[in-house]
Amino acid sequence: MELLEKVKEAGVIGAGGAGFPTHVKLQAKAEYILINGAECEPLLRVDQQLMEFHPADVILGLKIGKEMTGAEHAIIGIKGHHKKVIEILKQTIKELNLEGEIEVGLLPTVYPAGDEMVLVKELTGRIVPEGGIPIAVGCVVMNAESAYNVYHATLDEPVTMKYVTITGDVPKPITVKVPIGTPIKEVLAVAGRTDFTGYKVINGGPMMGPLFDDLDGYVTKKTKGIIVLPEDHVLVKKKSRTLITAARLNKTACEQCSKCTDLCPRHLLGHSTVPHKMVRAVAYNAPADENVTAALTCCQCSLCEFFSCPAGISPKLANVFYMNKLREAGIKLEPKKEFVPNPMRPYRMVPTDRLIARIDLTKYDVDAPWTEEAVVDPQVVGINLKDHVGAPAVPLVQAGDHVEAGQKIADIKEGALGATVHASISGTVESVQFNVITIRRD
Ligand code: SF4
Ligand code: SF4
């Protein structure tokens, strides 16, 4: 089987949160292939630990991606302060005789260094056009865990396990490897938290991850972190705001100081993003028309609402408000032709430690030790068929079927963008409904 077919068959998707099918990404011809090892979300540890404990797998996944895309340059992007991991990566590159073929590129310890557009700028000097994707400037970006999965795909090992950091207000922060589809509550129990009275749980990083509506869900191919916080924590309060409450607050409290725009990472790249103007537009009930298409350039990093705004309001949600309206109306962004980074950009990037202090996470910024022991042994898994960008996968099994771990249980819809899905445990299919296949261990 060709490499591309193996990656496709293994069901590899962007493990960093986006979920774009990797086999499609790797069909592009690129000049650069980049590993996103920035892990810019505070408290998450998975990518650094994966590069520390499985450096060869990540590097070889990148090498395979380099061959597939024909890229001249392959760079692992990692923040400069991760000195130990950087040393391990360099040493492994040497041992694999890949010096000159794979590089380690250092990123500043700022938020959001892992935003694809910021990453591309830092590692290549190129600016991805607003509304575009990295291949527009000859770059393909893969998350560190996706590269690891690409390597394992070439060994005919499909994606059935997920690395997840569980941290925050838990007795035992930890990073674990669990079968995809493991119930969230069982993963949280490993970190010592089973009673959630007075707590809320974030699905992902503290900046971009939403609050779980309930904890009855399952680990997916994109789950990177699960963070528990007291329900009166500032982040929980801000994340609980709706578009309506945010609009009301924005109308009354915005000082139009434009600090949200001054520190916006997309604005600093020269993109059209202007959150303070979106807040003003909401305040004046401006219609969703060509005058507010700058909202479509926002990457929803939350920096403006959790860090920049002195009034504590939600410029991001003003962008989201117009984004939704513009999409409903079918109004598209007319991208600018040229992008000149703001000359103040180097001085306006937000150091991660200042961000952590501002959002009151300093006491939770602790190690989450890595284990590969089978700390969770789920009796039932719920495997999502629409984890990825594109059409939901088409089930190949039905209730009552016996499946083996690693068996393909859903396939890409004919002619559509998508990803295959595999059983993460051996057992009997209990149900196939609502785009979830439930399997009970024998
Ligand atoms: S930083 Fe806050 S107060 Fe200042 S313009 Fe932006 S939303 Fe308004
Ligand atoms: S969320 Fe705010 S800071 Fe982040 S890109 Fe959007 S407007 Fe800029």
Side-chain angles (χ1 to χ4, degrees), residues 19-197:
F20 196 82
T22 303
H23 69 277
V24 178
K25 223 179 221 191
L26 294 180
Q27 284 175 47
K29 289 296 153 217
E31 285 174 71
Y32 286 89
I33 182 156
L34 310 173
I35 294 277
N36 191 345
E39 196 153 57
C40 64
E41 280 274 12
L43 312 190
L44 301 192
R45 306 286 184 247
V46 169
D47 290 340
Q48 303 318 311
Q49 292 171 324
L50 195 60
M51 292 190 285
E52 178 179 348
F53 295 109
H54 293 286
D57 300 27
V58 174
I59 291 164
L60 290 171
L62 176 59
K63 180 174 178 284
I64 291 160
K66 184 173 188 256
E67 285 164 16
M68 290 169 73
T69 57
E72 286 165 42
H73 310 280
I75 309 174
I76 302 172
I78 178 169
K79 288 177 181 163
H81 75 277
H82 292 302
K83 293 193 171 32
K84 182 177 160 200
V85 184
I86 291 166
E87 209 34 60
I88 289 171
L89 288 169
K90 287 186 172 169
Q91 185 58 31
T92 310
I93 290 169
K94 201 168 167 187
E95 286 164 12
L96 293 168
N97 284 325
L98 291 173
E99 282 172 302
E101 222 183 304
I102 308 274
E103 296 167 51
V104 176
L106 302 189
L107 301 167
T109 305
V110 299
Y111 182 83
D115 172 43
E116 274 197 342
M117 300 207 181
V118 174
L119 183 98
V120 167
K121 168 76 175 94
E122 293 301 323
L123 295 180
T124 72
R126 299 181 178 188
I127 298 195
V128 181
E130 58 190 20
I133 55 174
I135 197 62
V137 290
C139 300
V140 164
V141 180
M142 272 197 295
N143 175 259
E145 195 173 352
S146 304
Y148 170 93
N149 286 335
V150 164
Y151 172 63
H152 283 266
T154 64
L155 305 177
D156 298 321
E157 295 170 16
V159 182
T160 59
M161 303 293 283
K162 188 74 190 77
Y163 292 100
V164 185
T165 297
I166 309 116
T167 191
D169 200 335
V170 293
K172 195 175 90 170
I174 191 166
T175 301
V176 294
K177 182 183 183 184
V178 298
I180 288 166
T182 300
I184 296 291
K185 280 183 186 159
E186 292 186 31
V187 181
L188 282 160
V190 180
R193 173 83 47 217
T194 50
D195 180 359
F196 297 94
T197 313

